[in-house]
Amino acid sequence: IIHNYLKDSRQFGQLMNKSKWCKISIFGNKANNRRRALLIRKPEFIKDVKQINIMSDFTLTPILMFRKNNFEIHHVMIVEIDNGINIGISLIYNKETKQVEATGIHIDKISLYRQHQWISLKHMDECKCFDNFKSSFNDLAIGNPDYWKNKYNDMSSRKNNLESQINRLKSKCNSRSPPLSSFGDYNNEMADSSSSYRSS
C-alpha cells in the first residue's frame, strides 16, 4: 500500500509538504563528546528529497518501532539529502485517514539494522538491506539553523530593555522623593510645636 501510495507524485508531494518535519522525531546515536551535525532548513530539506531522489525506484524496508505504548511495524524509505548523505524516513499507513504518514527520521545505520533484524530473523546473521545507506553525521536538525542564536539575542535584548526600564523608574522615584534631611526638619518642627503647647 505504501509503495503504491508514494509512486503517485501528487500523494508523495502531499506527504512531503504537509509533514511537520521540524517536529518529527529523529532517531540516531548522538555522541556526547563529539558530534557531526547537519543543520538544514525545512524548505531546503523538502526540495532535496524531491529533486535528488527518483521516487519511482525505491525500496521499503520493515523495522520495529515503539509508538504510543505499542510495538508497530513501520517501513523505512532511504533517501539522499545531500551528496553521499542518506537518511531513512519511517512510514506507516493510517487506515482512518487512508494516508501515509511519516513517523521518524533515522540517521544511524546500525540502529536501522537492529530494528530490521527484530522483525526479519532470517537477516540476523547477514543483512544487506541498508548497505547503500551512507552518512557522515550523527546529529540532524531541520528548521532555522540560527534559531537558538536568534532566540538568545532576542532574550538578551529583552533583558537589556527591562533593565533600562527599571533604572528609569528608580531614577524617577528618587527624584520625586524628598531628601532624608527634610524629614529631620519636619520632626524638629513638630517637637518645637509640642514643647510650645505643653508650656502654654
Side-chain angles (χ1 to χ4, degrees), residues 7-102:
K7 276 188 173 182
D8 186 318
S9 59
R10 182 185 62 83
Q11 291 177 329
F12 175 71
Q14 186 178 18
L15 170 69
M16 292 302 303
N17 294 328
K18 290 190 175 182
S19 296
K20 297 179 181 180
W21 298 110
C22 298
K23 296 182 178 181
I24 288 178
S25 299
I26 296 176
F27 300 93
N29 185 18
K30 293 183 179 180
N32 291 326
N33 296 326
R34 181 179 299 178
R35 293 182 185 178
R36 295 182 301 276
L38 174 64
L39 309 177
I40 183 170
R41 292 180 180 273
K42 179 182 174 180
E44 190 73 10
F45 172 79
I46 295 174
K47 184 189 74 173
D48 288 346
V49 174
K50 285 182 176 180
Q51 292 184 356
I52 297 176
N53 301 276
I54 303 174
M55 299 317 300
S56 60
D57 181 24
F58 64 91
T59 302
L60 293 173
T61 306
I63 64 170
L64 192 65
M65 288 187 66
F66 187 74
R67 191 177 75 142
K68 297 180 180 179
N69 299 322
N70 290 310
F71 284 102
E72 298 178 337
I73 296 178
H74 296 219
H75 289 79
V76 173
M77 170 180 64
I78 303 300
V79 296
E80 188 175 0
I81 58 172
D82 204 345
N83 186 23
I85 296 180
N86 297 115
I87 62 167
I89 299 177
S90 54
L91 306 163
I92 195 169
Y93 182 74
N94 189 322
K95 293 180 180 179
E96 294 181 359
T97 62
K98 296 183 179 180
Q99 292 180 339
V100 171
E101 299 175 356

